[in-house]
Amino acid sequence: MSPEPAPVQRPPLDDSRVREVMKGLGMGELWVSQATGSTNDDLVARAKAGQLAHLSVETTEHQEAGHGRLGRGWETPDRSSLAISIYFRPDAGFDPAGLPWLSMLCGTAMVQALNEQAGLAAGLKWPNDVVAGGHKLCGVLAQLVLTADGPAVVVGTGLNVSQERAELPVPTAGSVALLGGRTTDRTDLMAGYLDRVAELYRGFAAVHGNAGEAGPGDRVSLRRTIARHMVSIGHEVDAHLPDGTVLRGTAEDLGSEGALVLRDAAGKLHHVLAADVFHLRRSDGSYA
Ligand code: BT5
């Protein structure tokens, strides 16, 4: 008889360390629950209920009713993953046109954190799926909140960390463990992610939310930083548009409003602002 496989180790999040990291980064408050419906819903509710410090964070060990875009579900077993929602309340000088960039900023921060902490060659699939080895590791969901002090945004990221194949809801999904990441320590991954978010936001706020403007020092614009991590660029893709039509083309760039710039077979350029994008297989058989 073959021995039983060792149970997957799923230690709790070290919230005092996360709190310390956030303090060092000048972030707001932290809430950690054992279980909740959705960390995005919780943080949106807190923002509506009263004053909330900029860069406050909500996380949970078990998100029981997580959601994605267009009412789709986000499913993860207890302690297997990270569900992190961050509250962005830009100051008065920040251009509201910069708000929609915050979800791609967070996706990019996750790509960088996965690279640094787990050694994974991750990338962004437009608009904001984090992929590695052709599998989706992380999804991002941004929600606009109108507060008495002006517009704010809650950005939630869900990262699959230690799930085994059978625990993932769809064949396109992957986890840090399945993709061979060198750590599945959720505290390290969360700390690395928050560090990258704070850094990217600092640069973005310094140019008042203008994604096209280069930042202080040798910082390139947020748009360029995101584009560098966007594996969709250079790929042939099918963009499923909200009206049901499918646009096929080669992704050439990230446009000035965050649009995916596609060139169709006739050579015409299209700026796609909302769509589900599918990468078509490359001639070497890989997707991303
Ligand atoms: C997303 O939506 O990818 C955004 C997911 C955001 C989740 C975070 S967790 C913290 C915060 N609180 C929330 O309630 N949400 C945020 P979308 O692109 O619509 O993709 C959803 C689709 O991904 C589903 O229809 C499934 O096909 C697939 N899916 C569900 N669970 C998944 C998982 N764990 N890993 C990969 N794919 C999954």
Side-chain angles (χ1 to χ4, degrees):
M1 218 169 77
S2 58
E4 285 283 305
V8 187
Q9 292 297 311
R10 291 187 171 148
L13 199 66
D14 181 349
D15 54 319
S16 53
R17 217 188 107 212
V18 174
R19 225 172 282 279
E20 224 165 84
V21 167
M22 286 179 61
K23 201 171 154 207
L25 294 168
M27 298 181 74
E29 283 184 74
L30 172 70
W31 290 275
V32 184
S33 63
Q34 287 310 306
T36 192
S38 153
T39 56
N40 260 32
D41 291 354
D42 291 353
L43 204 52
V44 167
R46 285 189 206 280
K48 286 185 175 159
Q51 291 252 323
L52 202 59
H54 175 54
L55 299 183
S56 287
V57 173
E58 179 102 28
T59 188
T60 188
E61 294 285 20
H62 189 197
Q63 185 169 251
E64 296 170 318
H67 47 86
R69 293 176 300 147
L70 309 168
R72 294 186 284 229
W74 184 258
E75 297 165 40
T76 46
D78 194 10
R79 286 191 189 169
S80 65
S81 53
L82 284 169
I84 307 170
S85 297
I86 305 181
Y87 179 70
F88 293 90
R89 171 67 195 95
D91 60 28
F94 189 98
D95 184 349
L99 296 175
W101 287 91
L102 294 173
S103 56
M104 279 198 250
L105 181 153
C106 288
T108 301
M110 188 60 87
V111 167
Q112 293 177 341
L114 285 169
N115 190 290
E116 288 163 14
Q117 304 295 321
L120 284 178
L124 265 189
K125 177 172 151 302
W126 191 91
N128 45 29
D129 285 350
V130 176
V131 296
H135 289 91
K136 177 168 169 176
L137 278 180
C138 166
V140 183
L141 179 71
Q143 289 175 256
L144 183 68
V145 192
L146 299 174
T147 74
D149 301 325
V153 178
V154 168
V155 184
T157 44
L159 174 69
N160 299 325
V161 180
S162 64
Q163 287 102 318
E164 296 175 0
R165 182 78 264 152
E167 293 177 302
L168 291 166
V170 285
T172 48
S175 68
V176 173
L178 284 172
L179 287 157
R182 67 171 171 244
T183 183
T184 52
D185 183 321
R186 291 180 307 140
T187 307
D188 284 348
L189 290 165
M190 182 165 179
Y193 169 64
L194 295 178
D195 179 74
R196 293 290 88 208
V197 169
E199 165 66 15
L200 288 174
Y201 187 82
R202 207 175 302 125
F204 194 33
V207 292
H208 313 290
N210 181 350
E213 190 177 329
D218 57 359
R219 276 196 175 101
V220 298
S221 69
L222 180 67
R223 179 157 74 97
R224 278 292 125 229
T225 303
I226 294 169
R228 278 181 188 170
H229 291 91
M230 180 83 52
V231 291
S232 305
I233 294 173
H235 253 283
E236 194 181 7
V237 303
D238 275 346
H240 292 237
L241 306 178
D243 68 1
T245 57
V246 178
L247 185 63
R248 176 166 293 187
T250 304
E252 290 203 340
D253 201 2
L254 184 62
S256 56
E257 285 162 1
L260 189 64
V261 181
L262 287 189
R263 189 179 294 278
D264 67 20
K268 189 168 172 230
L269 282 180
H270 303 261
H271 286 244
V272 176
L273 274 167
D276 277 319
V277 161
F278 296 88
H279 290 184
L280 304 179
R281 198 178 274 268
R282 286 189 204 266
S283 54
D284 68 0
S286 69
Y287 290 96

